[in-house]
Amino acid sequence: QVQLVESGGGLVQAGGSLRLSCAASGRTFSSYAMGWFRQAPGKEREFVADIIYSGGYTYYAGSVKGRFTISRDNAKNTVYLQMNSLKPEDTAVYYCAAGTTGYEVRDVRLVDNWGQGTQVTVSS
C-alpha cells in the first residue's frame, strides 16, 4: 500500500506557473511508475503525465505536452509536476497516482493508489 500526499495547488492567472509535489510512503518508491491525472467539474478523470520507475522516460497527454514537465526524486520519494503557460482549461483537481507496474500509469485501470487531490484554478 502506498500513501500519497499532494501539495502545491492554488490560484494562478493564465500564462502563469505552478509546481505540484506528491510525497509517497509505503511501498518502495523507486519500484513503480508515477503519474498525474486531473478532473474538471462534470468531466471524467483524465491522464496528464507519467514517468517510469527510474525517471528515465516520461509521457504526456497532447493537451499539456510542451507546457508541463513531470519529474521524480527517488531519494526523496517525491514526484513533481511543473506546469507552465497555464490556461483556464487546465483548471481541475489534480491527482497523483502510483502505478501497478514500474513502466506506465496512463489509464485509471493501471493505478494502484491515488492521492487526495489538489485544486488548480487558472483565471483568465
Side-chain angles (χ1 to χ4, degrees), residues 17-64:
S17 298
L18 281 175
R19 188 174 86 151
L20 306 183
S21 300
C22 173
S25 60
R27 198 156 49 104
T28 304
F29 184 72
S30 58
S31 68
Y32 49 90
M34 292 294 297
W36 288 94
F37 288 74
R38 66 187 182 187
Q39 188 166 19
K43 295 189 177 181
E44 291 189 354
R45 194 169 296 190
E46 65 173 3
F47 168 77
V48 174
D50 72 359
I51 185 167
I52 68 169
Y53 68 99
S54 65
Y57 184 79
T58 58
Y59 186 82
Y60 299 91
S63 58
V64 306

Side-chain angles (χ1 to χ4, degrees), residues 80-96:
Y80 305 96
L81 185 69
Q82 177 67 43
M83 304 185 294
N84 298 330
S85 302
L86 282 161
K87 304 175 181 180
E89 50 263 44
D90 294 318
T91 295
V93 177
Y94 282 71
Y95 296 91
C96 175

Side-chain angles (χ1 to χ4, degrees), residues 93-121:
V93 177
Y94 282 71
Y95 296 91
C96 175
T100 57
T101 76
Y103 296 97
E104 67 170 278
V105 58
R106 285 165 218 168
D107 186 285
V108 295
R109 293 168 293 182
L110 298 176
V111 176
D112 199 23
N113 300 97
W114 294 98
Q116 82 285 359
T118 185
Q119 177 71 47
V120 171
T121 303

